[in-house]
Amino acid sequence: MKTKILLIGGFNKAKSLAKSLIKKGYKVTAINKDMECCQLLAQIEHLTVFVGDGTKPFVLEDANAHNADIAIALTDSDADNLVICKLCKNKYNVKKTVALISDPKKTDFFYHMGIDSVVCAISVISNVIEQQAFLDEMATLVPIGEGRISIAQIPISQAAPVVDKKLWEIKLPKEVIIGCIMRGEKNIVPRGDTRILAGDVLVLISSNEHEVAAIQELTGR
């Protein structure tokens, strides 16, 4: 069964993201309150489009928000994006919510309000979806010689037990390495005193048998 993604607002952002996600095989629905924008979006093959204000429950209802696996709020208003995500999460039980914001100072507040992913750049939204919704702590196995290692991209939520901890404070198996931290558009090569922040994505390199334990230590799940 295809993962269902709901895009709300943001014509240009929604257009680019819809094309990318549909190409990857996801089932995508877009909501936009501008009729002309909807007509242009409707030209994208396999994209379902609804006209309306995504902050209104009846519009989300018409767009079958209750069937969505992920809701991504892309409007130009941070306040509207918060409302949209809260409605999708609390009223329609959408598993994952992603809010695009223009003010990075609001990031912690959005996480505190229960938003799963908060991003300030459209270029990272696809990665957030891949990491948090579809992979969701599942690793990609890469063969090395006669054995195998796993390389996993682990998203760190606000509730993760490692938030605000330095790497040396985290009890990981010796066979596990955090090779990179993706923070927004930056890629950080970590050191022992590097602090983990909510919203980080950790690139984990480990042996097969230690992967699950490492993910549980990092995410608490």
Side-chain angles (χ1 to χ4, degrees), residues 198-219:
D200 284 351
V201 177
L202 310 183
V203 178
L204 196 72
I205 304 171
S206 65
S207 60
N208 273 1
E209 58 268 26
H210 293 94
E211 174 200 352
V212 173
I215 291 174
Q216 289 175 343
E217 180 69 26
L218 292 168
T219 66

Side-chain angles (χ1 to χ4, degrees), residues 70-96:
I70 306 164
I72 307 175
L74 300 167
T75 77
D76 293 329
S77 167
D78 290 354
D80 283 354
N81 289 342
L82 179 61
V83 170
I84 290 165
C85 287
K86 291 290 287 182
L87 280 172
C88 288
K89 174 71 74 172
N90 297 338
K91 186 176 179 63
Y92 298 104
N93 298 314
V94 177
K95 296 175 184 177
K96 300 285 183 180

